[in-house]
Amino acid sequence: QSTWGDHSMFVVVGGYSHAGCADPFGQLGGVEKVYGDRIPKDVAAPQGIHIFQLEDSGTLKAAGVPFIPSLLHPSFLCVNQTNQAVFAVHELKDFDGQADTGAISSFTLTAPSKVLSSPQLPLFTEASSCHSHGIWPCMIQPDRSGQFVVAANYGGQTVGCWRVQQGKLIELASKVLLEGTGPHWRQTISHPHAVAFSPDNTRVWVTDLGADAVWELSFDSQTGLISVLHKHHDIIPFGSGPRSIALHPNGRFLYVTMEMTSTVMCFEITSNSLVANGQQSMLPTGWPNHASDDWQSGTQWKEY
């Protein structure tokens, strides 16, 4: 979400390109096995990238027509600091004739005020795309200077850093390979899922769903070099599956959601370690948590 022009707030939304991507990797036997009759057969996944105006009432109002990029599955988006470019990951396992890689791309953004006055204007213009150097990239974030972006490849065990210039992806500056496992059948390899830059732009924090870890990477904002400093895993509950990450604005605390235990954990960042500082369930009181059992056995998801 970002603010443009008259200080109106806008929300940019991506997604999978077809309904079958409720099970994009086919690991659970396809969307029909996962969701059964809960998805009407005539319901399609939202196409392309959408932009909405956030009104004072809290409602979202569509701004312009959806933009259909040339690449499938723009499943995660981020806006740069100047609100002039959008970066996307495309959850693919081959791209541009090369196997074992997804893609990342960038788009220049039409000022939403112009879109509101002329709804048929295209929201975006495709600016660049390149290999993500790993399959199924799932998150991308710009650094604090706006000169680099970092993306996590869920299926490729890698995190890459790309140089950016005027909203275009220029070149791969560096990448790291992460390794680790967990107790579940989904945790046979490392699965980097989310990335976040520290407020001082010297660290990149990475959640690893496959290795039950939070990785701490150093980041050189001049060269784009990322390197592994620490693998924080002893403080992560076994089989929890760290997924999303957020930093407190003061830079002292990390918040991590755990996919397999339906919890959120807080960690205090010290000079040489992470210190667990509390854990809360994300489920309502009395709500059964069967996510861990279902993922471990690979059986069909239950409905509650």
Side-chain angles (χ1 to χ4, degrees), residues 201-220:
N201 216 34
T202 64
R203 297 286 188 273
V204 179
W205 299 94
V206 182
T207 52
D208 190 332
L209 191 149
D212 286 330
V214 174
W215 296 82
E216 181 180 354
L217 311 182
S218 63
F219 172 65
D220 186 324

Side-chain angles (χ1 to χ4, degrees), residues 13-248:
V13 180
Y16 294 114
S17 300
H18 54 78
C21 276
D23 178 22
F25 316 138
Q27 290 180 314
L28 300 176
V31 65
E32 291 82 7
K33 180 177 179 182
V34 176
Y35 291 106
D37 294 331
R38 282 181 282 165
I39 296 182
K41 301 304 180 185
D42 59 348
V43 172
Q47 295 292 307
I49 299 173
H50 301 249
I51 190 165
F52 299 90
Q53 183 177 13
L54 181 61
E55 299 183 324
D56 292 340
S57 63
T59 59
L60 294 174
K61 177 183 177 181
V65 296
F67 173 75
I68 310 296
S70 58
L71 294 175
L72 294 174
H73 313 323
S75 58
F76 185 90
L77 310 173
C78 67
V79 182
N80 72 350
Q81 286 85 347
T82 62
N83 296 325
Q84 295 175 336
V86 172
F87 299 93
V89 298
H90 300 269
E91 290 197 41
L92 305 169
K93 59 181 180 180
D94 55 75
F95 168 64
D96 196 25
Q98 182 173 328
D100 299 324
T101 181
I104 60 174
S105 64
S106 68
F107 311 89
T108 56
L109 180 63
T110 303
S113 58
K114 293 183 179 180
V115 173
L116 291 174
S117 60
S118 303
Q120 296 308 309
L121 279 177
L123 296 175
F124 306 95
T125 301
E126 293 186 277
S128 62
S129 61
C130 63
H131 298 97
S132 65
H133 293 270
I135 63 175
W136 305 325
C138 59
M139 189 172 184
I140 188 168
Q141 289 289 352
D143 83 312
R144 306 288 179 178
S145 73
Q147 298 182 62
F148 297 93
V149 293
V150 166
N153 290 295
Y154 178 89
Q157 301 178 256
T158 56
V159 176
C161 180
W162 288 262
R163 186 179 300 277
V164 173
Q165 191 173 66
Q166 295 181 337
K168 294 184 178 181
L169 299 158
I170 302 301
E171 62 182 354
L172 178 71
S174 61
K175 69 175 180 179
V176 295
L177 175 69
L178 307 181
E179 297 182 288
T181 61
H184 290 257
W185 65 269
R186 292 180 67 211
Q187 295 181 304
T188 56
I189 60 172
S190 169
H191 287 308
H193 204 293
V195 295
F197 283 89
S198 62
D200 64 3
N201 216 34
T202 64
R203 297 286 188 273
V204 179
W205 299 94
V206 182
T207 52
D208 190 332
L209 191 149
D212 286 330
V214 174
W215 296 82
E216 181 180 354
L217 311 182
S218 63
F219 172 65
D220 186 324
S221 60
Q222 299 301 311
T223 65
L225 178 65
I226 52 175
S227 305
V228 173
L229 287 178
H230 301 290
K231 178 185 180 182
H232 301 282
H233 62 96
D234 292 340
I235 55 174
I236 307 292
F238 199 50
S240 57
R243 180 184 173 103
S244 299
I245 191 169
L247 271 84
H248 192 282

